[in-house]
Amino acid sequence: MTAGRPAPLGATFDGDGVNFAVFSENATRMQLCLFTPDGQTETDRLDLPERDGDVWHGYVSGMRPGQRYGLRAHGPYRPDEGHRFNHHKLLIDPYAKRLTGHPAWNDALMGYTVGAKQQDLSFDTRDSAPYMPKSVVEDPAFTWGGDTRPEVLTEEAVIYEAHVKGLTRLHPKAEPPGTFLAMASDPMLEHYTKLGVTSIELLPIQAFVNDGFLEEKGLTNYWGYQTLGYFAPDPRYLSEGKINEFQQMVARLHSAGLEVILDVVYNHTCEGNEMGPTLAFRGLDNAAYYRLADDRRYYINDTGTGNTLNVDNPMVLRMVMDSLRYWVQEMHVDGFRFDLCSTLGRTDTGFDRGAAFFDAIRQDPVLTQVKLIAEPWDIGPGGYQLGAFPPPFLEWNDKYRDGVRRFWRRDPGRAPDLAERLTGSATQFDHSGRPATASVNFLTAHDGFVLHDIVSYNEKHNEANGEDNRDGHSNNYSDNMGVEGETSDKRVNEDRARRKRALMTTLFLSQGTPMILAGDEIGNSQMGNNNAYAQDSEISWIDWSRADEDFLRFVQRIIAFRKDQPILRQKRFLHSRERMIDGMEDLFWRRPDGKPMEPSDWNDPGLQTLCVEMRTASGTPPYGATATAIFAVFNAGDAIEVAIPDPGTGTWSKHIDSADPEGEIAPVENGSIEVGRESVSVFVLEGEE
């Protein structure tokens, strides 16, 4: 081994050998451990010979990709001071581009002696290598050919949140099931494109662990929010263990015009609190990688998982930024959804939209070219920050989810909130030059009830999680329509189908960026489980054999309608401003009798019908004279007669009626029309001069 270079960090193959570089501010010695090809036998233990600042490095001539390795860090074991070095524990390289598998849970993985008095202050001398996956030297070079990013404009995006295994495990033709390759197989590409989505958002695919407490119950970490390696794709989604399978998936999705967005977890790691295992970051430099409490023995837990990553440390922030750039530049992904993103913006004085993490991303020439989506909350102090993130971040809008569900559940007084959600949630987002598309509108996501269960269950049914149904949200704003769970009652099933169509239509008529959960479009159910994080089972896998083809056709239709109507995809907020083209306002709220809404109408808790006319926000119409306005009626009550606005020189035509999913486009012959119960009707003004 020779000195090598301090950059780049990780294991880098240069054609002649491999350079290793590892950050640790407080270590006193850093060792590289080499293993046989099967990863079972440690063959060499080499000291990294140089330290440049806080980076330890060395170069091994003649080494090739495929070499299995790990790290051992020497230093003080003084938990009360925040230091938990234990060279008996083999560590994952935080920059490893591939891992051989997952930890096999054993007490030897702990830096302390399990069962000792004041356990985490004790020191364990067992070697953890037999139970640890190994890092693998990789050359990520890939022949991308003519791969080009779809670069979908945000105002044209339709996001499809999916789990790699859950989406493909039971699909009859996606091969090999449960893998990256299945995600981009021909039948899946056909499904995405026919559905009309533009961007596939994958639940965490960076290497993650199966929690020991779940394995003890016969469960697993299904969702993946326990990251072990920020550069390595999780081995469980690789059919042959090669990282180019992920690259092949991206290339195939790109060829179909589809973006790839990754759900990433940079707020915490899989190592938990002081009672957790020593797998990587804790052993390399606990005091640098984690935010510690005033009593340095303990961790700040703003994430609810036991620890919080310390992105205030410049080298930890560098790791996050290097990881993000790696997935963009080497793996060609098109964006990121940041789990518990409030944590990444929290400083000693609270949440700061000018925190180091946000500033680093906003000045980065690579990352400013991709989509950035924040989950705008965590459980820490001041953790709920919906609308507070800086541009160009988009944000998951839970107020949209809850507001729309409650309106269609007929909760009293919900019409004003629905109006707010239909027009982009301006109260939260119309500031700092942010567009209406900053609001990611969704009815469902991986966390909570799926769409079919919203209309099928009043209560959560999480017994399979082994927590006596105590886990998961209890307030789901759902309605079982008279029967809890599946039923053969024709009326109940028709009512459920009707409400699902109304909900989905509302989503695609709203200003903002729509997101749907994979499986909702075919009526998939999780049998009332609203917290399926541990269910790698039929509960979470999408059952394609029971696909609701009628509902699928309707969802395809409503997505296509949105794409055909730029009025629904404007970046500017609609605020009843006068349009430059004709002096008319861009937004009108009307009562069913056609008169303008008055304050007394908005304050009526029994208001269940909302009528809105939307027009282009400014300038000339975006598409000739074929349509200049849309009139939509959202009726959560009984059937009602609704006055149609004066069409002037044009003609109103009904394009969508969620109560009549197969209905044809038809002109409105007179000044009023009946809108069915619990339905949405949409009219387009055509031919106006």
Side-chain angles (χ1 to χ4, degrees):
M1 178 172 281
T2 55
R5 306 180 306 279
L9 290 166
T12 306
F13 174 65
D14 64 6
D16 294 320
V18 178
N19 189 80
F20 293 89
V22 182
F23 159 71
S24 180
E25 178 181 347
N26 295 295
T28 58
R29 180 185 179 191
M30 188 68 63
Q31 291 181 304
L32 171 69
C33 305
L34 304 182
F35 289 82
T36 54
D38 62 5
Q40 298 300 309
T41 304
E42 186 175 350
T43 60
D44 296 277
R45 192 174 294 189
L46 310 173
D47 281 76
L48 293 182
E50 294 290 335
R51 178 173 181 172
D52 194 325
D54 294 327
V55 177
W56 304 75
H57 55 93
Y59 182 87
V60 182
S61 181
M63 184 178 287
R64 311 292 296 176
Q67 174 66 54
R68 271 63 170 164
Y69 72 99
L71 302 167
R72 296 183 190 271
H74 296 249
Y77 190 83
R78 292 195 291 270
D80 57 325
E81 298 178 12
H83 300 307
R84 295 179 179 271
F85 292 97
N86 186 337
H87 64 274
H88 301 287
K89 309 305 170 183
L90 187 75
L91 307 174
I92 293 296
D93 177 3
Y95 278 70
K97 298 177 178 65
R98 179 158 71 94
L99 301 181
T100 58
H102 305 93
W105 288 105
N106 185 281
D107 288 349
L109 296 175
M110 306 300 174
Y112 58 87
T113 302
V114 176
K117 186 176 181 180
Q118 292 189 304
Q119 288 186 91
D120 71 296
L121 298 182
S122 62
F123 186 77
D124 187 84
T125 59
R126 285 172 292 180
D127 185 6
S128 67
Y131 311 101
M132 282 291 291
K134 308 307 182 290
S135 304
V136 183
V137 175
E138 277 284 349
D139 180 0
F142 180 76
T143 304
W144 287 98
D147 180 67
T148 57
R149 300 184 187 281
E151 296 185 347
V152 176
L153 296 175
T154 306
E155 59 268 30
E156 296 178 357
V158 177
I159 299 173
Y160 187 74
E161 191 198 29
H163 187 281
V164 171
K165 185 172 184 179
L167 183 62
T168 63
R169 173 63 176 81
L170 298 181
H171 195 284
K173 297 181 180 179
E175 297 289 342
T179 66
F180 294 126
L181 295 180
M183 281 291 303
S185 59
D186 286 344
M188 295 313 305
L189 293 180
E190 181 181 9
H191 179 73
Y192 309 140
T193 53
K194 283 187 176 180
L195 181 58
V197 297
T198 66
S199 311
I200 312 299
E201 182 177 306
L202 298 177
L203 266 69
I205 58 83
Q206 294 173 338
F208 59 91
V209 302
N210 291 323
D211 305 82
F213 78 93
L214 290 176
E215 289 193 354
E216 290 175 1
K217 295 191 292 186
L219 301 173
T220 189
N221 176 10
Y222 175 69
W223 284 348
Y225 291 95
Q226 289 283 42
T227 308
L228 174 62
Y230 289 112
F231 293 76
D234 194 275
R236 73 195 77 197
Y237 303 136
L238 300 171
S239 64
E240 297 181 1
K242 299 176 181 177
I243 66 171
N244 64 16
E245 294 178 36
F246 180 90
Q247 294 165 310
Q248 291 176 45
M249 176 194 71
V250 172
R252 294 211 77 208
L253 290 168
H254 282 179
S255 71
L258 296 159
E259 294 181 316
V260 178
I261 298 173
L262 300 186
D263 193 336
V264 288
V265 189
Y266 295 109
N267 58 81
H268 73 278
T269 78
C270 63
E271 291 185 307
N273 61 16
E274 66 277 2
M275 304 307 295
T278 297
L279 306 176
F281 315 96
R282 173 174 286 131
L284 285 170
D285 198 336
N286 184 68
Y289 274 103
Y290 294 116
R291 295 181 63 206
L292 302 180
D294 292 338
D295 182 343
R296 307 280 287 173
R297 176 181 173 184
Y298 302 108
Y299 297 77
I300 291 174
N301 184 20
D302 290 340
T303 64
T305 63
N307 66 59
T308 303
L309 205 63
N310 182 23
V311 292
D312 283 342
N313 184 297
M315 292 301 289
V316 178
L317 179 59
R318 174 178 168 183
M319 177 189 71
V320 172
M321 298 297 291
D322 286 347
S323 169
L324 292 169
R325 280 189 293 265
Y326 173 78
W327 289 99
V328 173
Q329 294 177 307
E330 299 293 344
M331 305 303 236
H332 284 208
V333 305
D334 305 285
F336 303 94
R337 179 264 189 190
F338 295 90
D339 178 63
L340 302 183
C341 199
S342 295
T343 301
L344 299 174
R346 184 172 285 107
T347 66
D348 291 339
T349 59
F351 179 83
D352 182 1
R353 68 200 307 264
F357 169 75
F358 296 131
D359 285 349
I361 281 189
R362 295 176 73 192
Q363 62 77 45
D364 191 280
V366 173
L367 301 179
T368 50
Q369 301 303 309
V370 300
K371 288 182 172 61
L372 305 170
I373 304 171
E375 182 183 39
W377 51 76
D378 65 14
I379 67 167
Y384 188 76
Q385 293 292 334
L386 179 67
F389 288 75
F393 277 85
L394 285 64
E395 301 177 36
W396 272 26
N397 187 350
D398 62 321
K399 289 186 179 295
Y400 183 93
R401 175 198 64 200
D402 295 346
V404 173
R405 288 188 188 186
R406 295 186 68 184
F407 176 82
W408 288 108
R409 198 176 67 165
R410 299 191 182 190
D411 288 8
R414 303 312 304 174
D417 186 64
L418 180 67
E420 174 84 357
R421 306 309 149 206
L422 289 171
T423 52
S425 300
T427 299
Q428 285 74 36
F429 295 103
D430 192 9
H431 61 82
S432 308
R434 302 185 76 182
T437 50
S439 173
V440 176
N441 301 329
F442 64 102
L443 301 168
T444 60
H446 65 276
D447 187 2
F449 274 157
V450 299
L451 184 63
H452 186 74
D453 291 357
I454 290 173
V455 300
S456 303
Y457 294 90
N458 284 348
E459 308 295 336
K460 63 184 181 181
H461 294 268
N462 298 350
E463 291 81 5
N465 295 352
E467 299 179 42
D468 297 323
N469 206 35
R470 295 189 303 268
D471 62 304
H473 296 292
S474 295
N475 195 358
N476 296 284
Y477 303 120
S478 60
D479 179 6
N480 66 18
M481 316 295 283
V483 178
E484 186 76 355
E486 294 302 302
T487 179
S488 58
D489 188 306
K490 182 178 180 181
R491 180 196 61 80
V492 171
N493 286 328
E494 288 177 348
D495 286 347
R496 290 174 175 177
R498 175 185 287 265
R499 185 167 291 180
K500 285 197 299 183
R501 292 194 299 269
L503 284 160
M504 195 66 84
T505 304
T506 304
L507 176 65
F508 286 102
L509 291 180
S510 301
Q511 300 291 116
T513 303
M515 181 185 82
I516 64 174
L517 175 66
D520 278 355
E521 74 277 17
I522 61 170
N524 185 65
S525 172
Q526 289 185 172
M527 295 167 277
N529 192 315
N530 74 349
N531 188 34
Y533 77 102
Q535 294 299 326
D536 188 0
S537 67
E538 287 83 357
I539 290 175
S540 294
W541 302 338
I542 294 173
D543 187 353
W544 293 90
S545 69
R546 301 183 63 189
D548 183 341
E549 297 293 342
D550 292 337
F551 187 57
L552 175 60
R553 285 193 299 273
F554 181 77
V555 176
Q556 292 169 335
R557 179 177 181 179
I558 194 65
I559 293 177
F561 177 76
R562 179 184 178 87
K563 290 186 175 183
D564 287 342
Q565 306 297 336
I567 288 176
L568 301 174
R569 297 183 283 103
Q570 300 181 80
K571 295 180 68 175
R572 286 190 59 185
F573 288 89
L574 300 174
H575 283 308
S576 298
R577 290 185 291 250
E578 289 188 355
R579 303 188 305 156
M580 291 187 292
I581 182 175
D582 56 12
M584 294 185 67
E585 294 179 356
D586 58 20
L587 185 68
F588 301 87
W589 298 104
R590 304 186 190 279
R591 302 189 323 197
D593 63 7
K595 296 180 180 179
M597 290 281 287
E598 300 291 343
S600 59
D601 298 313
W602 288 112
N603 293 328
D604 179 5
L607 179 63
Q608 294 182 326
T609 305
L610 195 61
C611 307
V612 61
E613 181 181 350
M614 296 176 282
R615 293 175 174 264
T616 51
S618 64
T620 58
Y623 50 102
T626 59
T628 58
I630 286 176
F631 180 63
V633 182
F634 303 83
N635 179 35
D638 296 331
I640 190 171
E641 194 75 14
V642 174
I644 302 297
D646 183 355
T649 59
T651 302
W652 288 107
S653 294
K654 183 163 70 171
H655 280 236
I656 300 292
D657 181 353
S658 68
D660 182 15
E662 303 291 341
E664 300 291 333
I665 297 174
V668 177
E669 301 295 343
N670 52 49
S672 66
I673 193 169
E674 183 179 276
V675 175
R677 65 179 178 87
E678 285 204 62
S679 68
V680 182
S681 289
V682 189
F683 307 86
V684 175
L685 184 60
E686 298 171 331
E688 185 183 44
E689 296 179 359

